[in-house]
Amino acid sequence: MDYLNYLRKDKMPHIWCDGCGHGIVLKSILRTVDKLGWDKNEIALISGIGCSSRTPGYVDFNTLHTTHGRALSFATGIKISKPKMHTIVVSGDGDATAIGGNHFIHAARRNMDINLIIFNNNIYGMTGGQCSPTTPTGKFASTSQFGNPDSPFDISRLAEAAGASFVARSTAYHFAKTDKYIEMAFRKKGFCVVEVLSPCPTAYGRRNKSTGKVGHEMLKDQKENSVPIERARKMKPEELKDKYITGVFIDRDVPDYFEHYNEVKKRAKLK
Amino acid sequence: MEKKADIAMNLEWCKSCEICVKFCPQKVYEMGKFYPKIIAPEACTGCKICENLCPDFVITITPLKEKKKLETA
Ligand SMILES: Cc1ncc(C[n+]2csc(CCOP(=O)(O)OP(=O)(O)O)c2C)c(N)n1
Ligand code: SF4
Ligand code: SF4
Ligand code: SF4
């Protein structure tokens, strides 16, 4: 495949730092769109604010770069008015689970037919490395120079509990897994979440020895410390410290929003 | 050794992160003063690991089998 068929070349090179994982995740999305043969005009790519949310600017689909944490609301509007549009949201961990946390759980609760790809770098990259809701306890950020006192969210488990049809987690290093999970999400109805762990050397790696400081060290850390979910289920919490649990968390056939909504339309005798 | 793939690099977009250098299993690249250099093109197997992991859309690997297909199509 030729990525240039999907990029706005006049906007390249992208702004992401050297070794940032976000470009690797974007490539997985483009490879999957290419594999499925989706028409560019039938795809809407929507984001909020953050480094990860810069993604739509580089891609030649129907794109919206909206307000912080609100991408899912805009995407819901698009999907309701154009149900055939392949609707993809890209979001950072801050965008999706801090300022946009409510939108995230309620889109999952309604099982809205949207694909959400979360670029989780465990930090607010764009604004200089403040703690996000996924910064692990004890890790360093510009707002936690002596270590983060908070407990993190597990995004995939949160999405699963809130009602999403499909939830999986991969890492930037495991690009083949990422492709596979994005394809499963794209093929499925309902709210489908793929969380991809994406190195942020500039705002996270630089401050945290355990992950490595630069992009290739952080990818190596993902390679060496990822644990498939089947194996993780048999491990103790202390054995899973600093490990990345990857795999499919849930893949269930439950009615999506539109199944219920169409019933309501029928009862109201609308077309 | 017979060449198995073509490697094209658009270095204008390269940010010198060295990911390609570190992850190519065949050690095809070496870091130059500013940018990665291709030092062993004949060792490339066409596995596309470097292409898939380059965050900056710099590398295009075309396995020669694929290339032949494209040319005859
Ligand atoms: C309403 C509002 N509040 C705060 C901000 C400042 N802000 C911009 S990006 C960002 C966080 C981005 O972090 P994340 O979503 O994790 O994405 P990343 O940059 O790490 O990819 C914040 C707090 C904003 N733009 N708008
Ligand atoms: S600050 Fe972090 S997330 Fe943002 S572009 Fe740089 S490396 Fe990527
Ligand atoms: S991985 Fe890409 S951006 Fe990084 S050094 Fe290699 S060619 Fe340049
Ligand atoms: S395709 Fe594989 S063998 Fe060839 S340069 Fe890239 S990583 Fe190395």
Side-chain angles (χ1 to χ4, degrees):
Chain A
M1 75 159 290
D2 187 354
Y3 297 101
L4 296 184
N5 291 339
Y6 297 96
L7 293 177
R8 291 180 179 144
K9 289 181 274 296
D10 56 324
K11 296 284 190 290
M12 295 290 288
H14 56 57
I15 58 151
W16 296 319
C17 308
D18 63 289
C20 175
H22 291 354
I24 305 176
V25 187
L26 170 57
K27 287 170 98 173
S28 274
I29 297 174
L30 298 182
R31 276 196 299 276
T32 310
V33 165
D34 191 75
K35 185 175 174 195
L36 296 180
W38 282 1
D39 180 344
K40 287 194 278 188
N41 296 316
E42 288 167 11
I43 303 173
L45 185 69
I46 304 121
S47 70
I49 301 293
C51 297
S52 34
S53 290
R54 299 290 300 231
T55 303
Y58 303 116
V59 183
D60 187 23
F61 303 146
N62 300 291
T63 57
L64 275 187
H65 188 186
T66 73
T67 54
H68 201 17
R70 271 51 179 168
L72 284 167
S73 318
F74 288 87
T76 299
I78 291 172
K79 193 70 196 178
I80 297 275
S81 56
K82 287 194 175 293
K84 290 221 173 80
M85 187 74 82
H86 301 298
T87 309
I88 309 167
V89 172
V90 290
S91 196
D93 42 300
D95 193 64
T97 65
I99 193 166
N102 249 325
H103 297 268
F104 174 57
I105 53 174
H106 291 287
R109 173 177 64 82
R110 296 162 119 184
N111 206 20
M112 193 50 72
D113 190 18
I114 289 172
N115 299 297
L116 172 62
I117 318 293
I118 299 185
F119 298 35
N120 181 4
N121 54 16
N122 306 104
I123 202 88
Y124 289 179
M126 178 166 267
T127 44
Q130 296 81 1
C131 274
S132 89
T134 66
T135 307
T137 315
K139 297 294 181 206
F140 301 96
S142 62
T143 46
S144 67
Q145 294 184 43
F146 304 101
N148 177 24
D150 295 345
S151 298
F153 267 149
D154 181 323
I155 294 182
S156 289
R157 286 179 55 208
L158 182 61
E160 179 187 348
S165 273
F166 177 86
V167 182
R169 185 191 287 133
S170 181
T171 81
Y173 172 77
H174 296 91
F175 57 82
K177 261 194 188 177
T178 309
D179 287 17
K180 186 174 138 196
Y181 298 157
I182 293 179
E183 185 181 342
M184 288 167 87
F186 282 4
R187 286 182 185 279
K188 200 166 176 86
K189 276 224 161 307
F191 195 59
C192 298
V193 181
V194 181
E195 178 192 356
V196 189
L197 306 179
S198 177
C200 170
T202 304
Y204 190 86
R206 192 159 57 90
R207 296 188 173 91
N208 286 284
K209 247 195 257 151
S210 68
T211 56
K213 294 204 177 301
V214 297
H216 63 78
E217 289 170 356
M218 295 180 82
L219 290 175
K220 186 163 171 264
D221 171 54
Q222 294 185 334
K223 176 183 176 185
E224 289 169 357
N225 289 304
S226 292
V227 180
I229 189 167
E230 298 77 19
R231 184 139 50 90
R233 286 198 178 111
K234 293 180 202 137
M235 290 166 71
K236 297 192 190 81
E238 56 275 21
E239 292 175 315
L240 288 168
K241 190 175 180 298
D242 291 336
K243 300 285 184 214
Y244 311 112
I245 302 174
T246 60
V248 176
F249 282 66
I250 192 83
D251 184 358
R252 56 189 158 199
D253 294 315
V254 283
D256 75 330
Y257 180 80
F258 285 97
E259 275 187 48
H260 297 302
Y261 187 57
N262 290 338
E263 283 302 314
V264 170
K265 279 206 302 199
K266 256 192 236 155
R267 286 200 293 276
K269 296 202 172 50
L270 297 170
K271 266 188 218 146
Chain B
M1 228 191 301
E2 204 192 327
K3 204 172 147 200
K4 293 203 182 66
D6 268 348
I7 308 170
M9 296 180 89
N10 174 12
L11 288 174
E12 268 184 39
W13 291 357
C14 173
K15 295 182 186 142
S16 311
C17 68
E18 296 189 39
I19 288 174
C20 52
V21 178
K22 301 289 178 188
F23 287 95
C24 168
Q26 310 301 330
K27 306 218 174 348
V28 167
Y29 305 97
E30 185 181 272
M31 206 51 199
K33 194 165 175 210
F34 298 109
Y35 294 114
K37 288 187 300 198
I38 303 170
I39 53 159
E42 70 290 345
C44 173
T45 58
C47 70
K48 297 198 186 188
I49 289 176
C50 58
E51 181 185 298
N52 291 331
L53 287 180
C54 169
D56 285 274
F57 298 86
V58 173
I59 305 172
T60 309
I61 301 289
T62 315
L64 293 184
K65 269 190 213 150
E66 240 174 67
K67 203 177 170 190
K68 258 190 208 144
K69 245 194 249 160
L70 283 177
E71 280 165 2
T72 50

